[in-house]
């Protein structure tokens, strides 16, 4: 898919524009096809008796070329073939009669059919291109592009939807700088197809707003939980073809500016990340696992926040179950936690995270047998000693950490958050009631 983020490990399906005059596969493929067919026909023409020449078979060439070339190239080639036929007639004329007329008639008919085939193929290509453009626009709206750096963090991302023609799926991740530090998220929505895409878009929208405005990571987590519940309630209310009881696992990260050697993590029933220390050691941190997003109505306590050491040179690797549940020919799952130590370079703290991500992605592809059965997403986050400044002064003001303003704004922010939560809970209950009324009816 088209590269969205910093890594560039996304295969592109965007082809040339419909108006492009280049043949499919390039000029070399078309010239080779014409040369091979012309050689075969010339050989048959020489081998056949004098009263019958195979040169009339040149009418098949435009039909074959139309499978590769656009209308203009097919029409020009048809004209050239007619000229070639006239030249052959001048050198070795056929006996007068029907055979002498058959050649130009076959070439002309083949050229007409070739032009029609090429035109039909270009129309279908234009439709596919339009659908691709719509899909890529959807991708940019749901999974926006990511820079290579956020302050002192360097990132690389990989995303492989299960459907090859799809641009987005049920896996979702994003980064959001804020006045309270950089926030990151990675999750996996239950289900597949368009309903999962819709749910992931809903969660990403909630994350981008909450991660910027909320000072406490616990409040961001609560807002994500409410967003997941609201999505299911809205789906039941509208009878939409969505996930009426959607849930999503996920990891929510907060890089506090007041603790530059740490990272706060909230685990919504997701696979814990892997940590590669600056000296190349790989380990899995212990995280308290809470319920997935959307299951807060079960009455369990909200997931706790775990603070992990994350200093300069350390690397975090987040992934979805499309990685761990990738199977080989024998049905064995991909052992990412066992494989990663062999993929880490000895100077891992110095190499860019894209290099590690590239080796991990290639190792995953080598393990997989057949097409992917589930969406797979990987995010690699490296803490560096350098801080990347924002492009302009206005941008820097948006994300500048100013603790003196935080205290004066706390009362208003918390009051607005409490009112927001009350309003959303009321809407959720109302939508559930309406949905239940519809079901009873």
């Amino acid at each position: 898919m088209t590269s969205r983020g910093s890594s560039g490990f996304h295969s592109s399906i965007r082809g040339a524009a419909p108006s492009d005059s280049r043949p499919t596969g390039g000029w070399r493929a078309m010239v080779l096809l014409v040369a091979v067919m012309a050689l075969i026909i010339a050989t048959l023409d020489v081998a056949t008796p004098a009263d019958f020449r195979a040169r009339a078979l040149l009418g098949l060439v435009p039909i074959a070329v139309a499978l590769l070339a656009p209308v203009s190239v097919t029409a020009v080639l048809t004209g050239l073939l007619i000229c070639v036929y006239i030249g052959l007639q001048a050198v070795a004329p056929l006996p007068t009669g029907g055979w002498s007329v058959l050649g130009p008639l076959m070439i002309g008919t083949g050229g007409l059919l070739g032009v029609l085939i090429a035109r039909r193929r270009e129309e279908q290509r234009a439709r596919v291109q339009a659908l691709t453009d719509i899909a890529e626009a959807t991708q940019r709206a749901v999974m926006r592009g990511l820079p290579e750096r956020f302050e002192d963090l360097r990132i690389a991302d990989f995303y492989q939807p299960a459907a090859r023609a799809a641009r987005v799926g049920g896996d979702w991740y994003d980064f959001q700088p804020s006045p309270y530090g950089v926030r990151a998220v990675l999750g996996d929505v239950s289900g597949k197809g368009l309903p999962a895409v819709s749910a992931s878009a809903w969660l990403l929208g909630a994350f981008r707003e909450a991660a910027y405005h909320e000072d406490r990571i616990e409040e961001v987590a609560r807002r994500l939980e409410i967003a997941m519940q609201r999505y299911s309630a809205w789906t039941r209310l509208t009878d939409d073809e969505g996930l009426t009881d959607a849930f999503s696992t996920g990891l929510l990260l907060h890089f506090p500016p007041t603790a530059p050697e740490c990272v706060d993590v909230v685990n919504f029933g997701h696979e814990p990340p892997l940590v590669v220390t600056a000296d190349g050691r790989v380990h899995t941190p212990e995280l308290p696992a809470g319920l997935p997003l959307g299951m807060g109505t079960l009455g369990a306590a909200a997931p706790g926040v775990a603070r992990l050491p994350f200093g300069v040179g350390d690397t975090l690797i987040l992934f979805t179950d499309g990685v761990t549940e990738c199977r080989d020919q024998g049905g064995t799952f991909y052992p990412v936690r066992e494989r990663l130590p062999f993929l880490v370079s000895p100077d891992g703290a110095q190499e860019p995270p894209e290099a590690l991500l590239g080796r991990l992605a290639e190792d995953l592809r080598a393990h997989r047998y057949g097409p992917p059965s589930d969406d797979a997403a990987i995010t690699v986050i490296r803490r560096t000693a350098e801080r990347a400044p924002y492009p302009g002064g206005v941008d820097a003001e948006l994300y500048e950490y100013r603790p003196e303003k935080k205290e004066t704004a706390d009362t208003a922010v918390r009051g607005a958050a409490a009112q927001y939560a009350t309003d959303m809970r009321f809407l959720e209950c109302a939508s559930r009631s309406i949905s239940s009324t519809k079901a009873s009816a």
Side-chain angles (χ1 to χ4, degrees):
M1 70 186 289
T2 303
S3 177
R4 286 190 321 275
S6 57
S7 65
F9 291 105
H10 308 275
S11 58
S12 174
I13 64 168
R14 178 181 288 277
S19 59
D20 196 344
S21 60
R22 292 177 299 173
T24 303
W27 289 102
R28 181 178 299 180
M30 194 203 75
V31 171
L32 180 63
L33 175 64
V34 173
V36 170
M37 293 190 69
L39 180 62
I40 294 175
I41 293 173
T43 303
L44 291 175
D45 190 72
V46 173
T48 51
D51 58 346
F52 174 78
R53 295 292 183 180
R55 64 189 63 166
L57 297 177
L58 290 172
L60 299 177
V61 177
I63 299 176
V65 169
L67 301 176
L68 300 177
V71 173
S72 57
V73 175
T74 305
V76 170
L77 180 64
T78 302
L80 291 176
L81 289 174
I82 292 177
C83 293
V84 169
Y85 184 88
I86 294 175
L88 290 175
Q89 280 291 89
V91 175
L94 288 173
T96 58
W99 290 114
S100 60
V101 182
L102 180 63
L105 181 62
M106 287 190 64
I107 296 175
T109 303
L112 178 61
L113 291 175
V115 167
L116 294 176
I117 293 172
R119 181 179 178 182
R120 179 65 174 173
R121 187 177 59 83
E122 287 187 352
E123 290 176 351
Q124 293 179 344
R125 186 180 180 185
R127 292 193 191 97
V128 171
Q129 185 64 47
L131 293 175
T132 301
D133 291 340
I134 294 172
E136 290 181 349
T138 303
Q139 175 203 13
R140 288 191 295 269
V142 177
M143 300 286 284
R144 61 184 178 180
L146 298 175
E148 291 184 358
R149 290 182 179 272
F150 278 109
E151 298 182 355
D152 61 344
L153 302 176
R154 186 165 180 175
I155 63 173
D157 63 302
F158 168 86
Y159 189 50
Q160 176 62 66
R164 292 189 177 183
R167 304 289 84 203
V168 290
D171 291 358
W172 53 288
Y173 62 91
D174 203 358
F175 286 75
Q176 180 60 57
S178 78
Y180 315 106
V182 177
R183 277 76 185 267
V185 71
L186 179 141
D188 183 6
V189 175
S190 60
K192 298 182 183 296
L194 292 178
V197 174
S198 176
S200 62
W202 197 290
L203 287 168
L204 283 169
F207 167 75
R208 290 162 187 165
E209 289 301 307
Y212 177 80
H213 290 288
E214 301 294 346
D215 62 324
R216 299 172 63 247
I217 193 63
E218 294 90 343
E219 187 61 28
V220 179
R222 193 179 69 86
R223 292 272 294 271
L224 287 175
E225 171 63 29
I226 294 174
M228 190 78 271
Q229 293 182 27
R230 288 175 57 205
Y231 168 80
S232 297
W234 188 263
T235 303
R236 290 189 292 267
L237 176 65
T238 58
D239 287 335
D240 195 9
E241 294 183 359
L243 303 171
T244 55
D245 292 301
F247 66 90
S248 174
T249 63
L251 291 171
L252 177 62
L253 277 61
H254 171 57
F255 300 90
T258 56
E261 297 294 320
C262 299
V263 57
D264 295 335
V265 183
V266 181
N267 185 0
F268 300 101
H270 196 79
E271 283 273 357
L274 281 165
V275 177
V276 183
T277 59
D279 57 4
R281 292 181 294 109
V282 180
H283 69 277
T284 301
E286 293 186 5
L287 296 176
L291 290 176
L293 292 167
M295 293 187 175
T297 55
L298 298 180
V305 179
R307 174 157 290 189
L308 304 178
F310 188 63
V312 174
D314 292 345
T315 304
L316 271 172
I317 302 175
L318 286 63
F319 47 87
T320 60
D321 60 5
V323 175
T324 56
E325 295 180 3
C326 175
R327 298 174 182 265
D328 62 7
Q329 189 171 4
T332 305
F333 291 129
Y334 178 67
V336 60
R337 301 186 188 278
E338 289 76 17
R339 289 293 304 160
L340 189 63
F342 299 99
L343 302 175
V344 175
S345 172
D347 57 345
Q350 285 71 41
E351 70 171 358
E354 303 90 65
L356 175 59
L357 178 62
R359 290 194 295 271
L360 179 57
E362 290 301 325
D363 196 56
L364 180 67
R365 291 192 186 103
H367 178 87
R368 185 180 67 223
Y369 178 72
S373 59
D374 195 6
D375 305 328
I378 307 173
T379 302
V380 179
I381 309 170
R382 166 81 47 75
R383 172 154 274 165
T384 62
E386 303 82 17
R387 297 183 68 88
Y390 292 100
V394 177
D395 295 344
E397 290 180 2
L398 284 173
Y399 307 116
E400 182 182 0
Y401 178 65
R402 287 169 287 185
E404 68 278 2
K405 291 192 175 182
K406 172 182 175 296
E407 295 181 2
T408 58
D410 270 352
T411 303
V413 170
R414 295 187 191 282
Q419 184 60 44
Y420 172 87
T422 302
D423 293 344
M424 292 306 101
R425 293 288 185 178
F426 173 77
L427 289 177
E428 178 196 348
C429 293
S431 59
R432 288 176 185 267
S433 301
I434 297 173
S435 178
S436 301
T437 303
K438 287 186 176 183
S440 300

